[in-house]
Every structure is written in structure tokens, then in C-alpha cells.
Amino acid sequence: MSRFDGVLAMLRRDDVDLPTPVVLLDVMERNISRMQEFAASHGVDLRPHVKTHKCVEIGRMQLDAGAVGITAGTVGEAEVFADAGFQDIFIAYPLWVAGSKPARIRRLAETVRLRIGADGPEAIQRLASAMEDAVGLIELVIEIDCGAGRSGTRPEEAGALAALARSRGLRPVGVYTYPGQGGSDRAARARAADDQRVALTAAVRSLVSAGITVEVVSAGSTPTAAYSPGGPVTELRPGEYVFGDLDNVRLGACEPDEVALFVASTVVSDQVHGQAILDVGTKALGREGDPRKGYGRVAVDEAVLDGPELFRLNEYHGYLRMPTGGGLPVGQAVAVLPNHVCPVVNSFDELVVARTDATEWWTWQVAARGRLR
Amino acid sequence: MSRFDGVLAMLRRDDVDLPTPVVLLDVMERNISRMQEFAASHGVDLRPHVKTHKCVEIGRMQLDAGAVGITAGTVGEAEVFADAGFQDIFIAYPLWVAGSKPARIRRLAETVRLRIGADGPEAIQRLASAMEDAVGLIELVIEIDCGAGRSGTRPEEAGALAALARSRGLRPVGVYTYPGQGGSDRAARARAADDQRVALTAAVRSLVSAGITVEVVSAGSTPTAAYSPGGPVTELRPGEYVFGDLDNVRLGACEPDEVALFVASTVVSDQVHGQAILDVGTKALGREGDPRKGYGRVAVDEAVLDGPELFRLNEYHGYLRMPTGGGLPVGQAVAVLPNHVCPVVNSFDELVVARTDATEWWTWQVAARGRLR
């Protein structure tokens, strides 16, 4: 028996269409509270990344719990939340402002407090030119690299970039980074958070030298959140903590009983001995995993990493390895726990929402699904 | 110079929003003609799988070229094409008919010629019960396994399943299979197609023994299409041939100059030496690839496997490895060739369409995007 069984039985009783992602509201509420309390107890702000849920209702719960605003990954994500009344949005991405983006960003900046990331002079010049009269409304946050080797300038360059932004009429307000080098064990993530603090400290020094008032020093990611406060950090931007997933359980960044989203799926074929075929493949789960750890698991008890493993995916087929002597009949509904929750949510237009006690269910729209630009 | 450069320059000139998938219409038209001519020259029907393009306009081109109908993977895909006027649809999937599916399948069966797959007695019983008065409208196609070990009954069981379907009022019309064991070299795919013919021959014998008139014997997949005609095969169901992709080029199932879809993407960061960050990650490309072959390539010449490689993806970031001494400036538009095209199309709501001569462009809707049930 797993704690997902009650909701699964309710959905089956009500003949709900499967496959569908299902959010356990009570579990998610606890995740939201826990991260908010962690941030508050360390004296930092929480600005959750909405790329994980892309859902207005969940963003509102995060604000109600005390988040100072939200983080978005694209202009389109920011627009969905701005249109829903969110007032403080940070697009933590080094945008190249072309196509419809200049007009859309101007409109956003006239509606909400808008922060935008940048890591180089060309993007800053272009953003400033494209903003026209709205340039003074844009709060620019310099992205620095703290060792992940993705995007972000060197910390000691932050001041020069901020000065350039200011000279062009933008309003530089601080720095952000992403400690993606964290890796798979806690010690490595703690070291990444140390790197992050060192880099942010140097970047703040660079900003101050350039005469910039530093309003925000923003640190990233669910797996490193526990190690990130301290030093100059004023804000955390985790996203995945809201739902959790098997990868976060493996990392020790989430407990098994904190996983708040599963995909309700159906066995559609049992013709191969020792295997069941589920109606979830890459178009539901993404190809998140590898042959060694598999592509997701069916929940059978509280130890979420012990269940049968999806060892292969096609687009609409998931291959589930059944234990010796076990088997699942065709038509059986199962709770699939994804390795990585973000692509799952982005694969569906709606989330089914219920509490673990399975008294009722409803749906929320994945309003920012597919907003890639 | 690559043959994608003209269209890319046109899109840049017209300040089109990126990232976006772009279809080269002339290349796709040749792909559609070539596969149709191949099928015709071997005396088999073509029933393209629409999971790849999910686009009504492209499905119409396939019918206009001579396809007998289309293949769908879900009820939702079938509905989009039925609503657009398609009259002959095969849902090649072992459906478990629950939720809204019974009513939706009845409506489909009353509108179009509808074929549905099944590989076991429980699904046949359930389908028959759920169809009520419409049961006689459903053409049932028995799925058999030819060695892929996914779904499908043993060939010698096909007759018994068809007889069960007939006894319940369904109309069994034939068999289908998927030679997914094909593997990575041509000889292995030719062997898989041999397995397919052997299994389909046995299945046909089983149907005939049960007194079933065999109207369709359907074989699968773009990579095996070239080897699939012969024996009892009456129909091919390839999907990916319409666009091609790097995986099909690697397999030898598609020539480099037959790749008809790329993702127009922008360099958003160049802070790390020897690397460029593109605005396409897993939410645009899926995590289709592995660390060895990468997750897609930028086209720089006709040899599409020679371009810079995306060696890592985050959700909105693609890490492009640049050749020594090379580099791409921030803001540069590039043509990204995906490893696997199907998840790319499913990530976007629209396709940009243009001919290689780059005189004009327009958009087509990915009308069946996300129709997972």
C-alpha cells in the first residue's frame, strides 16, 4: 500500500481520464510551508521558480505562504502570471530581446515589478535599446557564474556590467547565480553552495565598487537550497521543492513522503512475462533518466525507490519491469513517480488535485505550459 | 553554409519569435512523395503515423500523395484529425477504454472508418461492452509481437482473439505489429523486418483458421520501412520519414539532405570559452540523446552530423560545444537539428513553414499537440 492508493482509487471510481498528473495538495502545502519556514528562519526571501508547476493557483499558494515574488524562465511564463495578478516577477534568464519580446517586456514592465537577468554587454545594450521609454522600469540582475559553467559573467565583472546597464538607463539591482555543479551527494552540493557564496560575495564587492546599491543577491535551486543561506545571499529561487520527485529523493533533497505529484497511469498490455506496458512514455514523462536508474517507478509503498521500474520508454509506451512472480492486470491504474517532475507538468494541460484523504478532486490549469519564448 | 541558412536569415529579417520549429516544405514534400512511391512500387498501402507531425495540413498532404488513411497513437490524436475531415483512422495502440474514451470512441466510429488495436481478451471484452450499439462499427486489428517485446500477442493467438472480438460484435479485420527490435544497423533492421514477415504470416494463418477475412496486415516504423514489404504485408505505418532527424540519419534511414525540420534557436550566452548557450533545452528538444552522442547539433554544412554538438541540456538552456577557435556571438540565430523529431513538434503549438528558397513563411498549428488520452 502506498499513500497514493486512496486518491488513485477515487479517480478510478469517478472514471477520470488517464493518464493524468495528480497533485496531493496536503503534501504540497507542507512542502511550500517547509521551504518558506526554512527561508524565513535564515533571514532570506523566497522567490520560487514557477517553471516547475506553471500553475497560477500554486503560485498564489506560494505568495500566500510568504514568497516575495516569483521566478520565471521565459517571457511567456512571466506573462501568464502577470495576467493573473502577480506583481513581482524575476525572469532569471539571459534574454536576447528580439521578435515580439521588446513589446511584451515593455508591457510587463508597465504592469508589474519586473526583473530581468543579463550576463554580457551585448544583451544589456540590446535590452536598453529595445525598451525605449520603459527602460527605467527594468530592474536588471547580473548573472554570475559560480562554477556551473553555464551562463553568467565572472563575479569581478559584475560591477562593470551593472555600470553599463545604469549608463543606458536600466536599473541594476543586484546579482544572481545557479550552483548547477552541485552533483549527486550532499557534500558536493554543500561545496557548490560555498562556491556560490564566494562568487556572490565577490560580485557584490564589484557592484559596490561601481557605486551600485545592491538590493538583491539571489541563489538557486532546490537541491542546494539547504546549504545556500549565509554570506550576502538575500533570496532563494528553488522550483522543484513544491512537488519533489525521485531525483530529489535520490539526492537527499526531498524525503520519500514529501513527493507530492504522481502520474495516474493505466496498464495497457501484459503480454510479456515479467513486464507491464503503461500508457505513459516520453510524451508524458520526458526521457528523464538513463538505463541504469530507469525512467520512473510505480509507487507500491512509502519507500518510493523500491517500486517496479520503468526501464524503457517509447512515445506512448512505458515498459515496467515486474518483480518475479508479480504482475499487473491490464486495466489496472498505477501511480507513476517521475524522476524529474518539471517536464511531466509541461506535458499536460491540466493537473488533477486532491488531498491524500481522497474526499474530492478537481483540476487546475497548467496555464504556462509550453510558453517557451 | 547549410541549406537552412536562407530560411534562418529570412526569419531573422522578419524578427520572428525564437525558438521555433521550422519545416522546410520542399524537403518534406519530397519525403512524402518518396515514401508514397516506395509503398506503391511494392504494392502496399501507406498509412502514415501522425504522432510525428500532429498537424492537419501535413496529414492532408500525405493523403493527397496517396496515403489510404492515417495512424494515430491516442484517441485524442484521432479526434483532431477526424474533426478536420479525415475519414480513415487507425489507432494503433492497445487502448484500455475507460474515462471519457467509450463515448469519444463511439462518436469517432459513427463519423469515420475507425480501426483500433488490441492484444488481449480483457481489452477486447471491455471495448465491446463500452461500445454498446456502436460495437459493429469498430474494426479491430489484433496486435502481435514480432520480437520487440513491447505489446502484442503471440502470432498463433491472433485467431482466437479475433474470434472473441467477432463473438462480441466487433469486426476483426487483420493484424499489426511493430519491429522495435531493429537496432542500430541496417542488417539488424532487415532481420527485424524478416521477423516481422514471419510473425505476420503466422498471424494471418491463425486468423484464416479462425474463419476471419484478413483485410489488413500492417507493418511499422520509418527505420524498417525499406525492408518491410513482402509476404502478407498490405500496409506500412511509418511516421518520422516526413521530417527525418539525426537519429534517422545515423541509422541510414534518412539522408542528410532529407532532414526537413530544424529548431531556429538563439545564442543567449557566450561567457564560457569554447561553449555557447542556446535558448533550447529539454522543454524544446526533450532529453533525446545521451552524453556520448549529444542531444542535437547545429547545422553548419550539408553533413548534418558534423556540426557543433549540444552536449548537455537544462530545461531552457542548451550547452553547445564550439570547435577550437570558433565561437558564436550572443544574439546569433542557429539551426538546431534534433536527434528525435517527435518530442520537438509536441513541445510547440505551431510550426513555422517555408521553402528552402526563403521567399515567404507562414505557420501551421500543431493541432494534436499534447493529446495524450
Side-chain angles (χ1 to χ4, degrees), chain B residues 159-203:
Chain B
L161 285 182
L164 170 66
R166 187 177 49 186
S167 76
R168 291 298 315 270
L170 298 160
R171 208 164 86 67
V173 295
V175 289
Y176 78 107
T177 192
Y178 169 72
Q181 72 271 42
S184 58
D185 67 273
R186 291 172 199 242
R189 291 204 302 289
R191 282 196 301 275
D194 288 341
D195 297 342
Q196 180 173 247
R197 262 186 301 275
V198 168
L200 287 170
T201 301

Side-chain angles (χ1 to χ4, degrees), chain A residues 312, chain B residues 178-193 221-224 227 246-254 290 292-293 305:
Chain A
R312 188 176 174 190
Chain B
Y178 169 72
Q181 72 271 42
S184 58
D185 67 273
R186 291 172 199 242
R189 291 204 302 289
R191 282 196 301 275
S221 117
T222 291
T224 57
Y227 314 101
L246 295 187
D247 280 345
N248 277 292
V249 171
R250 289 187 186 98
L251 289 172
C254 155
D290 57 51
R292 191 179 44 79
K293 73 173 174 184
L305 296 174

Side-chain angles (χ1 to χ4, degrees), chain A:
Chain A
M1 287 294 291
S2 87
R3 67 197 159 83
F4 309 106
D5 291 352
V7 170
L8 202 57
M10 173 178 65
L11 299 182
R12 209 53 196 269
R13 183 197 70 207
D14 291 351
D15 211 12
V16 172
D17 279 326
L18 307 188
T20 182
V22 182
V23 175
L24 292 182
L25 182 60
D26 47 331
V27 181
M28 183 178 73
E29 285 171 339
R30 288 197 293 273
N31 293 345
I32 290 173
S33 297
R34 190 183 314 106
M35 188 62 84
Q36 187 64 49
E37 285 162 14
F38 173 81
S41 72
H42 288 82
V44 294
D45 292 332
L46 188 64
R47 183 183 286 277
H49 206 309
V50 299
K51 65 171 183 157
T52 302
H53 57 69
K54 290 176 171 270
C55 174
V56 167
E57 288 82 356
I58 297 174
R60 286 207 190 99
M61 291 173 62
Q62 293 172 313
L63 289 193
D64 290 346
V68 294
I70 59 168
T71 305
T74 67
V75 178
E77 277 183 2
E79 287 174 323
V80 166
F81 285 83
D83 289 347
F86 289 67
Q87 287 292 316
D88 191 333
I89 303 177
F90 173 26
I91 305 176
Y93 193 86
L95 294 178
W96 183 256
V97 181
S100 66
K101 292 189 183 83
R104 292 160 63 204
I105 294 173
R106 285 198 298 273
R107 187 185 143 262
L108 275 174
E110 287 160 4
T111 316
V112 306
R113 178 162 95 164
L114 185 65
R115 290 180 171 168
I116 297 179
D119 74 350
E122 302 86 354
I124 289 171
Q125 297 279 15
R126 186 170 179 100
L127 175 64
S129 300
M131 285 306 98
E132 302 173 1
D133 290 351
V135 66
L137 298 175
I138 305 288
E139 299 192 2
L140 197 81
V141 192
I142 305 295
E143 182 174 4
I144 62 164
D145 179 29
C146 65
R150 183 171 76 177
S151 42
T153 190
R154 290 183 299 134
E156 55 272 30
E157 304 291 337
L161 286 182
L164 170 66
R166 187 177 50 188
S167 76
R168 292 297 316 270
L170 298 160
R171 209 164 86 68
V173 296
V175 289
Y176 78 106
T177 192
Y178 167 73
Q181 71 271 43
S184 58
D185 67 272
R186 291 173 199 242
R189 291 205 302 288
R191 283 195 302 275
D194 287 341
D195 297 343
Q196 179 174 248
R197 263 188 300 275
V198 169
L200 287 170
T201 300
V204 167
R205 194 178 306 125
S206 176
L207 287 187
V208 170
S209 298
I212 308 291
T213 304
V214 180
E215 299 174 30
V216 62
V217 180
S218 182
S221 116
T222 291
T224 55
Y227 314 101
S228 289
V233 172
T234 67
E235 161 180 299
L236 304 179
R237 303 187 319 278
E240 295 172 354
Y241 77 96
V242 71
F243 296 138
D245 54 27
L246 295 187
D247 280 346
N248 277 292
V249 171
R250 289 186 186 98
L251 289 171
C254 155
E255 297 299 319
D257 64 358
E258 293 166 8
V259 175
L261 185 145
F262 66 93
V263 181
S265 165
T266 306
V267 177
V268 293
S269 179
D270 62 355
Q271 292 292 315
V272 176
H273 184 73
Q275 171 182 296
I277 297 294
L278 304 185
D279 60 355
V280 286
T282 56
K283 280 177 176 165
L285 302 176
R287 199 178 295 283
E288 298 285 330
D290 57 51
R292 193 178 43 79
K293 74 174 174 184
Y295 299 89
R297 285 178 183 270
V298 164
V300 291
D301 57 26
E302 284 311 293
V304 295
L305 294 174
D306 289 351
E309 178 185 283
L310 287 165
F311 64 94
R312 188 176 174 190
L313 301 179
N314 295 146
E315 282 165 59
Y316 298 126
H317 299 76
Y319 297 62
L320 193 69
R321 184 177 289 120
M322 297 306 304
T324 310
L328 283 172
V330 169
Q332 174 82 43
V334 296
V336 172
L337 303 174
N339 283 334
H340 182 195
V341 71
C342 302
V344 176
V345 172
N346 193 49
S347 298
F348 290 87
D349 293 315
E350 286 182 342
L351 303 167
V352 167
V353 186
R355 292 183 176 278
T356 304
D357 67 6
T359 51
E360 58 177 336
W361 63 273
W362 61 95
T363 59
W364 284 342
Q365 203 192 344
V366 184
R369 188 217 59 75
R371 298 293 181 113
L372 283 169
R373 28 183 203 239

Side-chain angles (χ1 to χ4, degrees), chain B residues 99-321:
Chain B
S100 65
K101 292 188 184 84
R104 292 160 63 204
I105 294 172
R106 285 197 299 271
R107 185 184 144 263
L108 275 173
E110 288 160 4
T111 315
V112 306
R113 177 161 96 163
L114 184 66
R115 290 180 171 168
I116 296 179
D119 74 351
E122 302 87 352
I124 290 172
Q125 297 278 16
R126 188 170 178 100
L127 175 63
S129 299
M131 284 306 99
E132 302 173 359
D133 290 351
V135 66
L137 298 175
I138 305 288
E139 299 192 2
L140 197 82
V141 191
I142 304 295
E143 182 175 3
I144 62 164
D145 179 30
C146 65
R150 183 170 77 177
S151 42
T153 189
R154 289 184 299 136
E156 56 272 32
E157 303 290 337
L161 285 182
L164 170 66
R166 187 177 49 186
S167 76
R168 291 298 315 270
L170 298 160
R171 208 164 86 67
V173 295
V175 289
Y176 78 107
T177 192
Y178 169 72
Q181 72 271 42
S184 58
D185 67 273
R186 291 172 199 242
R189 291 204 302 289
R191 282 196 301 275
D194 288 341
D195 297 342
Q196 180 173 247
R197 262 186 301 275
V198 168
L200 287 170
T201 301
V204 167
R205 194 177 307 124
S206 176
L207 287 187
V208 170
S209 298
I212 309 291
T213 304
V214 179
E215 299 174 29
V216 62
V217 180
S218 181
S221 117
T222 291
T224 57
Y227 314 101
S228 289
V233 171
T234 67
E235 161 180 299
L236 304 179
R237 304 185 320 277
E240 296 171 354
Y241 76 96
V242 72
F243 296 139
D245 54 27
L246 295 187
D247 280 345
N248 277 292
V249 171
R250 289 187 186 98
L251 289 172
C254 155
E255 297 300 319
D257 65 358
E258 294 167 5
V259 175
L261 185 145
F262 66 93
V263 181
S265 166
T266 307
V267 177
V268 294
S269 179
D270 62 356
Q271 292 292 314
V272 176
H273 183 72
Q275 171 182 296
I277 297 294
L278 305 184
D279 61 355
V280 286
T282 57
K283 280 176 176 165
L285 302 176
R287 199 178 295 285
E288 298 285 330
D290 57 51
R292 191 179 44 79
K293 73 173 174 184
Y295 299 90
R297 285 179 183 270
V298 164
V300 291
D301 57 25
E302 285 312 293
V304 295
L305 296 174
D306 288 352
E309 177 186 283
L310 287 165
F311 64 93
R312 188 177 173 189
L313 301 179
N314 295 146
E315 282 164 60
Y316 298 127
H317 299 76
Y319 297 62
L320 192 69
R321 184 177 289 120

